Amino acid sequence: MKNYSLVILLVALSSCMSIRRQNEQRAACISPDELKEDVDYTYQKLQQMHPKLYWYISKQELDYKFDSLKKTFDQPLTPLQFYFKLQPVIADIREGHLSLRIPRKKFTRKEIKALEHKKGMFSRFEYYIKKDQLFIIENKDSIEHIKPGTEILSINHIPVSGYIQKYRELISSDGYNTTFQPYFLKDVFFNFYTAENGFKDTAYIETLYNGEKKSYTLRREHKSEKDLEKDKAQEKRTAEKKINDYVAYSNSYNRNFKFLDNDSTTAYIKVKSFSRDYSEKFYKDAFDKIKNAGAKYLIIDVRNNYGGSLHEINNLYSYLAPEPYVLIKPSQLTSRITPLKTNYFRKSNAFQYAFKSLAYPTYVFAQTFSTYKKDGKVYYRMKADKSTKPKKDAFQGKVFVLINGGSFSASSIITAKLKYDKRAILVGEETGGANDGTVAGFYSYQKLPHSRISLPIGLLLVQPNIDFVNTKKGVAPDIIVKETMQDIIDHKDPQLEWVKKEIAREKAK
């Protein structure tokens, strides 16, 4: 027992030392020559592993961008400063899954626990971005009685518009899509902000509402005992929470099902993320209820769904397909050894490392035999690229799908397939993910040698089994219905309302 305790102590001390070293390295400056080496390393790894690097940008243009970037290095930079110079070039590749990880301060367990006992500061609001403006659209805790629709003009006397312009250059969607950025930027704005400015306990903001300017001081308040008890209650996993994939952080569910009318003719499924967790049980229960109710219409809502599991969308499609189908085309990668570059031991502690070492030969065997070569190209075996039979209880009625710029990755894969197969009517706005597929699947996490910035590179070209439109944009809706900021504030849903009116019109015939 003493030996076991000593091992635990050594692991804890090692973790603390690692955090200290990482934070010291984050603050240290990197020479211009080393910065250039990191740029070359980045491009080299992208060329080796990314299966569709020049999809939206020519090699000549990308060569020029990397070479031009290197010429700007005439003085040492910190990793964070380097990130803000390199990431815009990565974003110009226009592949939405491809992004450097911003170098952030690492926290010890003690620091994390202290933060957990405090309320958020910026995270207690919901936001909306329009061009270079940042608006508060929800204030659940009535902090300082700030009203929805209030624009934040500056934070600590620095104009917000400057931050938006800076952060926008860090984000790309797939191809030449124009709808994704505002949705994603509003969600990650304060991730970038706190990475630059740290976690402060107060912030001074200047605002504008109905032509009147006001100033407020936001504070990171301590949680009460009641708040802490509520946190514990939210973390408990009940059967309902498991099936609907409860997220304690947001106190909401990833999946929801309900009927929208008293006669149960219209079913509604909302999926915020294709997480796969307990998804098979959720869809089985939902479609059993739909069948028993004799529903004629189904609305699937994948707005603000950034994607997730191919397994889950393939399973969902099996409840919608009238006949056997193939969801995606064979997934291409750069070589047969690419699957072995997925950082098998990543984020493993000493105990996990020892266990994984024993299983490593099996892992190598499985990954090696998951690839095959055809017509000079290498592909990865996936269940979703094989013929799948529809479920016996597959829905036979009319399907509407709600989409917007926040519908990305797997959300775009399934909606592109539904549209191509003429199995659903898409309502809303262009998706944030490309109509013709994306590069994701699984990743190789590269660490740049000098800045130590992490670069996850997607290894699989994942494309829906359709005839490609080659627009280099998102999935276009059949019916365009826009949502304004005022709609959100007033809790109106013009996209869902359009579908409900269309169903009512059909039922009245």
Side-chain angles (χ1 to χ4, degrees):
M1 188 67 182
K2 286 182 179 179
N3 289 336
Y4 180 77
S5 299
L6 180 61
V7 170
I8 294 293
L9 178 61
L10 290 173
V11 168
L13 289 173
S14 174
S15 176
C16 290
M17 291 173 65
S18 174
I19 290 171
R20 188 176 70 247
R21 282 196 301 268
Q22 289 183 58
N23 287 333
E24 288 173 351
Q25 188 272 332
R26 180 179 178 270
C29 285
I30 307 160
S31 73
D33 286 342
E34 290 176 327
L35 295 172
K36 292 173 186 177
E37 288 178 11
D38 272 12
V39 172
D40 288 337
Y41 180 89
T42 297
Y43 198 13
Q44 177 191 8
K45 292 301 179 181
L46 287 172
Q47 290 172 313
Q48 287 176 358
M49 299 183 194
H50 198 286
K52 198 79 168 175
L53 185 59
Y54 306 111
W55 198 348
Y56 304 112
I57 187 171
S58 69
K59 183 179 185 303
Q60 182 181 9
E61 187 179 359
L62 191 54
D63 287 348
Y64 176 78
K65 286 182 178 292
F66 276 116
D67 288 340
S68 298
L69 174 63
K70 288 192 292 183
K71 291 176 183 177
T72 67
F73 299 137
D74 56 6
Q75 59 184 2
L77 300 175
T78 66
L80 185 62
Q81 291 170 330
F82 177 56
Y83 168 86
F84 279 107
K85 291 178 75 71
L86 177 56
Q87 177 54 32
V89 177
I90 300 295
D92 283 339
I93 295 170
R94 296 183 179 276
E95 201 277 280
H97 290 84
L98 183 62
S99 180
L100 295 166
R101 293 290 182 263
I102 190 166
R104 307 173 64 95
K105 177 187 174 183
K106 300 288 183 180
F107 292 95
T108 63
R109 289 184 180 180
K110 184 178 180 181
E111 289 171 326
I112 292 171
K113 190 172 183 179
L115 282 173
E116 287 175 347
H117 280 71
K118 292 181 179 180
K119 296 181 180 180
M121 191 161 58
F122 297 117
S123 62
R124 294 165 73 188
F125 300 100
E126 293 293 329
Y127 300 95
Y128 184 94
I129 285 180
K130 182 179 181 181
K131 296 183 179 178
D132 293 338
Q133 296 171 284
L134 177 67
F135 297 89
I136 291 172
I137 58 170
E138 188 173 5
N139 182 5
K140 292 181 181 178
D141 296 337
S142 297
I143 300 167
E144 298 285 355
H145 303 292
I146 299 173
K147 294 181 180 179
T150 295
E151 180 185 358
I152 302 179
L153 299 174
S154 68
I155 305 172
N156 294 329
H157 307 290
I158 299 177
V160 165
S161 58
Y163 284 120
I164 293 176
Q165 292 164 15
K166 182 179 183 180
Y167 299 158
R168 186 181 285 120
E169 292 183 352
L170 309 174
I171 297 170
S172 69
S173 55
D174 289 335
Y176 293 90
N177 167 281
T178 57
T179 59
F180 179 70
Q181 269 194 348
Y183 287 92
F184 192 63
L185 184 52
K186 74 175 176 60
D187 288 341
V188 300
F189 179 92
F190 285 102
N191 290 347
F192 292 135
Y193 179 85
T194 54
E196 272 197 284
N197 298 282
F199 281 83
K200 308 295 184 182
D201 285 332
T202 61
Y204 177 83
I205 63 171
E206 296 170 294
T207 66
L208 178 66
Y209 181 78
N210 281 348
E212 183 181 0
K213 290 186 177 181
K214 286 188 177 182
S215 300
Y216 302 94
T217 299
L218 304 181
R219 291 179 171 82
R220 195 180 300 277
E221 304 167 6
H222 285 274
K223 291 181 180 178
S224 65
E225 288 298 323
K226 186 177 180 180
D227 291 327
L228 295 173
E229 287 298 321
K230 186 178 179 182
D231 288 347
K232 289 181 180 179
Q234 287 178 186
E235 290 170 1
K236 292 179 180 178
R237 300 282 283 173
T238 63
E240 179 191 10
K241 285 183 176 181
K242 289 178 181 179
I243 294 172
N244 293 287
D245 195 13
Y246 177 75
V247 181
Y249 172 77
S250 60
N251 191 25
S252 63
Y253 294 96
N254 267 337
R255 291 183 287 267
N256 288 281
F257 169 80
K258 62 182 177 181
F259 291 105
L260 297 182
D261 39 29
N262 293 330
D263 60 3
S264 299
T265 57
T266 304
Y268 173 86
I269 293 176
K270 169 70 177 176
V271 188
K272 294 182 179 179
S273 172
F274 292 113
S275 65
R276 184 172 177 172
D277 293 345
Y278 296 92
S279 61
E280 293 185 13
K281 173 67 172 171
F282 172 83
Y283 291 118
K284 184 180 185 306
D285 289 352
F287 282 95
D288 280 347
K289 292 174 183 175
I290 290 170
K291 181 182 179 182
N292 293 335
K296 299 287 192 291
Y297 300 94
L298 171 61
I299 302 170
I300 300 175
D301 190 345
V302 292
R303 292 173 296 179
N304 307 306
N305 181 326
Y306 290 141
S309 165
L310 270 178
H311 176 87
E312 180 171 339
I313 63 171
N314 194 42
N315 184 46
L316 172 56
Y317 205 94
S318 69
Y319 284 99
L320 306 172
E323 57 189 24
Y325 67 94
V326 177
L327 182 70
I328 62 171
K329 293 182 181 295
S331 297
Q332 189 179 337
L333 29 71
T334 56
S335 74
R336 300 198 73 159
I337 64 170
T338 300
L340 298 177
K341 299 178 180 179
T342 54
N343 311 89
Y344 177 74
F345 293 101
R346 181 173 175 265
K347 290 188 175 181
S348 299
N349 60 36
F351 303 108
Q352 293 167 332
Y353 191 95
F355 177 80
K356 286 184 175 181
S357 296
L358 296 174
Y360 188 65
T362 303
Y363 165 78
V364 172
F365 180 85
Q367 289 292 67
T368 301
F369 284 90
S370 291
T371 64
Y372 65 96
K373 204 167 186 178
K374 184 177 180 182
D375 300 327
K377 296 179 179 179
V378 180
Y379 298 93
Y380 190 80
R381 302 179 195 279
M382 304 271 281
K383 185 177 180 180
D385 68 20
K386 305 294 187 295
S387 181
T388 301
K389 293 181 179 179
K391 292 288 194 293
K392 293 180 180 179
D393 296 336
F395 180 68
Q396 303 298 318
K398 192 166 187 176
V399 181
F400 294 89
V401 179
L402 302 179
I403 56 175
N404 66 8
S407 305
F408 184 72
S409 192
S411 298
S412 298
I413 297 288
I414 191 170
T415 51
K417 178 65 173 170
L418 285 165
K419 181 176 182 178
Y420 177 78
D421 289 347
K422 295 180 172 57
R423 183 62 189 97
I425 296 173
L426 309 186
V427 179
E429 63 181 8
E430 176 191 352
T431 64
N435 184 90
D436 294 352
T438 191
V439 175
F442 46 80
Y443 294 80
S444 177
Y445 291 82
Q446 296 297 311
K447 189 81 74 175
L448 307 194
H450 301 294
S451 63
R452 308 304 295 165
I453 295 175
S454 178
L455 172 63
I457 302 175
L459 303 180
L460 290 182
L461 174 61
V462 183
Q463 298 181 281
N465 186 34
I466 62 174
D467 291 335
F468 300 134
V469 297
N470 297 314
T471 60
K472 297 185 177 181
K473 296 186 71 176
V475 184
D478 298 298
I479 306 296
I480 298 174
V481 181
K482 300 288 186 179
E483 179 185 58
T484 67
M485 181 178 74
Q486 196 59 48
D487 288 330
I488 300 171
I489 292 171
D490 295 339
H491 301 288
K492 293 180 180 178
D493 191 337
Q495 294 156 344
L496 179 58
E497 286 304 312
W498 185 93
V499 176
K500 290 166 73 173
K501 287 178 181 177
E502 177 65 12
I503 291 172
R505 186 185 65 79
E506 291 188 9
K507 289 167 68 175
K509 287 182 180 178

